[in-house]
Amino acid sequence: LYISILLFFSCASQGIASGGPADKEGPILISVQPPNETLEILPDQKIILLFNELLDPVSIPAAITLAEDYKVKVRSRRIIIIPDNTWPENQVLNITFSRKIRDYQNNIMAEPIQLVYSTGTHIPNGNISGTIAGHSPGKLIEVGLYTWPVHDSTIAIQKVEADENGFFKFGFIDYGKYTLGAIEAVLFDFGKQIQRKKYAMISSDYISLTPEDKAQHVNMLLS
């Protein structure tokens, strides 16, 4: 019996089995709890994202952007966002997840994730989407949303990444006037970075969102 047990464990597979087609796709989001755009979430509400495969936990913390204080846990295929104490009252929570979230084969996501919740009863319904031509699929592009006129190019209202096809979208925006700037890099100061990095801008001075015109789409050229 002792010899049989030794033989069994020496022959058992240790780790991920080999064989089959190579994994070349990044993690794909399967579900979110509570659902995106949920109103009146609880002060201690956990936000749980479930993916289709195991996640590399090292890639997670730096890939999350959220203005409020929070904690993050990674459990196999799940990302769990927890308030540090409680979520602020009557507040919109805008959470973005970078494409840099990866699996154990170093494949990143094909597109970023944007989630929004409210501890109150309102979520803004304006949105601006766009397509960036001239991009390289293997390069990450960050797009910044700025109020018009721009007083400080280091302060973006929101930042999102373009997906592997050059598409991006800013959702849940208040009505007003805005402009956009995109950089083939991590965006931190558009005014300075355009001297050294490929960039894209809108062709008009600004984009206007109103109750009558809640959505705008733009085309931009990276050069």
Side-chain angles (χ1 to χ4, degrees):
L1 178 59
Y2 177 76
I3 294 172
S4 298
I5 292 172
L6 287 178
L7 288 172
F8 175 80
F9 281 105
S10 65
C11 294
S13 175
Q14 305 295 318
I16 299 173
S18 60
D23 180 6
K24 296 183 179 180
E25 292 187 354
I28 298 172
L29 181 65
I30 296 176
S31 65
V32 180
Q33 289 295 330
N36 194 17
E37 302 183 45
T38 296
L39 299 173
E40 297 181 297
I41 63 171
L42 298 174
D44 60 348
Q45 177 72 60
K46 293 180 180 180
I47 299 166
I48 304 173
L49 292 79
L50 175 64
F51 291 81
N52 68 327
E53 61 179 328
L54 296 176
L55 303 172
D56 182 354
V58 175
S59 70
I60 308 299
I64 301 172
T65 301
L66 172 58
E68 313 302 332
D69 293 330
Y70 68 94
K71 299 174 183 175
V72 59
K73 296 181 180 179
V74 183
R75 297 288 184 269
S76 181
R77 297 186 295 142
R78 289 177 170 82
I79 298 176
I80 305 169
I81 306 291
I82 306 167
D84 222 5
N85 188 7
T86 58
W87 301 122
E89 293 183 12
N90 199 31
Q91 184 76 30
V92 173
L93 307 177
N94 201 319
I95 314 172
T96 58
F97 298 82
S98 167
R99 290 180 59 199
K100 295 174 185 175
I101 292 176
R102 62 179 182 263
D103 59 21
Y104 279 101
Q105 286 70 46
N106 287 324
N107 299 310
I108 64 173
M109 297 195 301
E111 58 187 29
I113 300 167
Q114 184 178 27
L115 304 176
V116 66
Y117 301 96
S118 178
T119 54
T121 59
H122 171 71
I123 291 177
N125 62 355
N127 74 80
I128 298 172
S129 61
T131 304
I132 299 177
H135 74 288
S136 301
K139 300 283 188 177
L140 290 178
I141 299 172
E142 282 199 348
V143 188
L145 177 71
Y146 303 87
T147 54
W148 176 264
V150 179
H151 299 292
D152 188 344
S153 64
T154 66
I155 302 175
I157 301 170
Q158 291 186 37
K159 291 194 301 181
V160 298
E161 290 174 344
D163 67 16
E164 58 185 4
N165 297 311
F167 177 81
F168 66 89
K169 183 176 181 179
F170 292 97
F172 323 111
I173 309 170
D174 287 314
Y175 304 137
K177 293 180 180 179
Y178 302 94
T179 189
L180 302 172
I183 290 288
E184 192 180 70
V186 175
L187 174 62
F188 57 87
D189 188 338
F190 185 78
K192 289 184 178 179
Q193 288 179 279
I194 62 175
Q195 302 174 36
R196 295 179 176 272
K197 301 290 184 180
K198 290 183 178 180
Y199 69 94
M201 299 172 61
I202 60 173
S203 56
S204 59
D205 286 337
Y206 61 84
I207 301 166
S208 181
L209 296 181
T210 67
E212 295 74 34
D213 199 356
K214 304 172 184 176
Q216 294 279 4
H217 183 86
V218 298
N219 294 311
M220 302 165 64
L221 175 64
L222 191 74
S223 61

